[in-house]
Amino acid sequence: MVELSIIVPAFNEAESIPELYDALMATLQRMERSYEIIIVDDGSRDGTREVLAGLVQKDPKVRALVFRRNFGQGAAMDAGFKEAQGEVIITLDADLQNDPEDIPKLLEKMDEGFDVVTGWRSDRKDPFLSKRFPSLISNWLHKRLTGLDIHDSGCTLKCFSREAVSHLDLFGEMHRYIPALLHAQGFRIAEVAVTHHPRRHGVTKYGSARLVNGILDLLYITFWSTFSNRPLHLFGRLGLFLVITGFLAGALKLGQQIYLFFVIGQEVFIGPIQLIGIVCVILGFLFICFGFLFEVQVRIFYRMASTRNYSIRERIGP
Ligand code: UDP
Ligand code: MG
């Protein structure tokens, strides 16, 4: 069995890949561990595929997966994870912004007994407004919402145990929050400061717009890690709160008003607060029903996907 699997997502990185390969080789040959390199071409249109075909021919330890079109970095990393055979799995960017020289440092930290070691670009070489500022906000929120105290969730340079990776299914742009996803399952996460270089070839694939997507993804992760095995507790609580607030705000009076209007024939007036109360009661009942529906769906989900909502570290005894 091979010890290390290096996974590299690449989208239009033809110019960088040969240099990345040389840099990787320099580090890997010094380390004397068996390895494989898996580069995933995420639908490039700049000749990345041809560069990869050349590499694969030259070095049997390199494999390439070529996507039919651009499915995104998360999908590329997921494909790499599923292809990897190694005991330890290492991910890094194709554009040389991560430095392969840092790999031994991450592995050393892994040996202290962590399941995941994630890089922290402590001196990040990216533009402030479009990159570092959005990340500042995102990482601050990340710490508050997920409870995982790391500086930099979005650095691709990371190390994983095989076991940790087998618990991942990446959708959309969730690759940025892998540490939080695994932390929620009880895996032990550590962080190590790593070198970061400016991009030398090609262009970045992300702008500042990813802040909005990132915040939405964070909210989803927080929701899923807290309530995935009991969604009714979230929606039910919200629903009950709305129903009670609604009644207090005057929805109770509605009964008396209906009696006065239909039976006595007297004119009645509904004020703005009472109106809000009525809306709250209706919304509250809907939320509770939503909770029931969600609860049923989640049970079906866990059965169909044959995943569990808990995670076993080890078995002691036969
Ligand atoms: N990438 C990818 N698919 C995409 C976007 C990016 O495989 O749809 C790869 C890209 O080739 C690079 C890594 O993901 O190796 C990080 O992308 P990029 O360098 O553009 O992000 P940045 O460093 O600017 O945040
Ligand atoms: Mg980059």
Side-chain angles (χ1 to χ4, degrees):
M1 193 157 188
V2 23
E3 287 169 88
L4 308 177
S5 293
I6 318 278
I7 296 174
V8 183
F11 178 42
N12 293 338
E13 309 281 7
E15 284 176 292
S16 302
I17 285 173
E19 278 177 56
L20 173 78
Y21 174 76
D22 292 341
L24 268 173
M25 277 307 126
T27 302
L28 287 169
Q29 279 169 352
R30 239 184 303 122
M31 285 169 44
E32 297 179 336
R33 294 226 216 176
S34 59
Y35 65 88
E36 59 176 5
I37 300 174
I38 300 164
I39 306 181
V40 186
D41 173 5
D42 184 14
S44 303
R45 285 176 298 270
D46 70 337
T48 293
R49 188 201 161 279
E50 285 63 37
V51 173
L52 290 178
L55 264 188
V56 170
Q57 220 168 29
K58 191 170 94 180
D59 183 347
K61 292 199 171 111
V62 180
R63 296 207 294 291
L65 303 174
V66 183
F67 279 2
R68 286 214 164 75
R69 66 166 174 84
N70 179 240
F71 285 100
Q73 188 182 343
M77 289 171 68
D78 193 70
F81 285 149
K82 295 194 162 119
E83 174 78 13
Q85 307 279 316
E87 287 293 337
V88 172
I89 289 145
I90 298 159
T91 53
L92 81 165
D93 282 344
D95 59 1
L96 292 155
Q97 290 202 264
N98 300 134
D99 198 326
E101 292 268 329
D102 286 318
I103 292 176
K105 226 185 333 179
L106 298 193
L107 290 175
E108 240 170 67
K109 194 82 192 169
M110 285 288 277
D111 290 340
E112 288 176 25
F114 290 100
D115 304 293
V116 181
V117 177
T118 177
W120 164 27
R121 296 164 289 183
S122 54
D123 183 15
R124 191 168 164 190
K125 301 289 195 301
D126 273 328
F128 180 75
L129 260 190
S130 63
K131 291 271 180 186
R132 280 168 22 228
F133 180 64
S135 288
L136 227 66
I137 299 176
S138 168
N139 284 317
W140 178 82
L141 211 73
H142 180 276
K143 209 180 293 184
R144 295 287 167 298
L145 289 178
T146 66
L148 176 59
D149 192 4
I150 57 173
H151 295 86
D152 183 6
S153 174
C155 176
T156 309
L157 182 53
K158 291 184 173 80
C159 246
F160 306 90
S161 66
R162 192 171 179 70
E163 169 77 4
V165 160
S166 73
H167 285 254
L168 275 177
D169 265 313
L170 294 183
F171 288 93
E173 296 183 7
M174 294 290 176
H175 58 275
R176 277 186 216 124
Y177 304 110
I178 294 177
L181 290 170
L182 291 173
H183 169 71
Q185 299 194 47
F187 286 99
R188 290 160 295 194
I189 322 277
E191 183 179 51
V192 160
V194 294
T195 319
H196 193 244
H197 301 289
R199 197 181 239 282
R200 257 185 273 166
H201 310 284
V203 289
T204 174
K205 313 301 181 292
Y206 305 103
S208 48
R210 74 163 152 194
L211 178 61
V212 178
N213 297 343
I215 289 174
L216 290 172
D217 286 344
L218 257 181
L219 288 177
Y220 173 77
I221 287 172
T222 311
F223 159 71
W224 189 248
S225 58
T226 319
F227 293 105
S228 67
N229 58 352
R230 51 189 186 104
L232 181 59
H233 287 183
L234 175 67
F235 292 102
R237 265 190 242 165
L238 248 169
L240 284 177
F241 172 77
L242 284 172
V243 169
I244 292 168
T245 316
F247 273 128
L248 293 179
L252 257 184
K253 237 171 85 184
L254 197 65
Q256 185 198 9
Q257 283 163 327
I258 288 173
Y259 174 77
L260 285 177
F261 184 77
F262 285 109
V263 181
I264 313 285
Q266 189 180 317
E267 255 197 282
V268 290
F269 296 97
I270 293 180
I273 303 252
Q274 196 191 359
L275 198 65
I276 292 172
I278 294 167
V279 172
C280 280
V281 169
I282 296 171
L283 269 180
F285 275 118
L286 282 178
F287 267 117
I288 294 170
C289 292
F290 207 57
F292 288 145
L293 275 178
F294 213 149
E295 191 74 30
V296 173
Q297 285 211 329
V298 154
R299 280 156 208 238
I300 297 172
F301 165 78
Y302 280 117
R303 197 160 282 186
M304 297 267 289
S306 53
T307 53
R308 309 170 194 185
N309 55 25
Y310 51 84
S311 182
I312 301 171
R313 177 181 298 158
E314 57 182 331
R315 181 198 295 268
I316 300 176

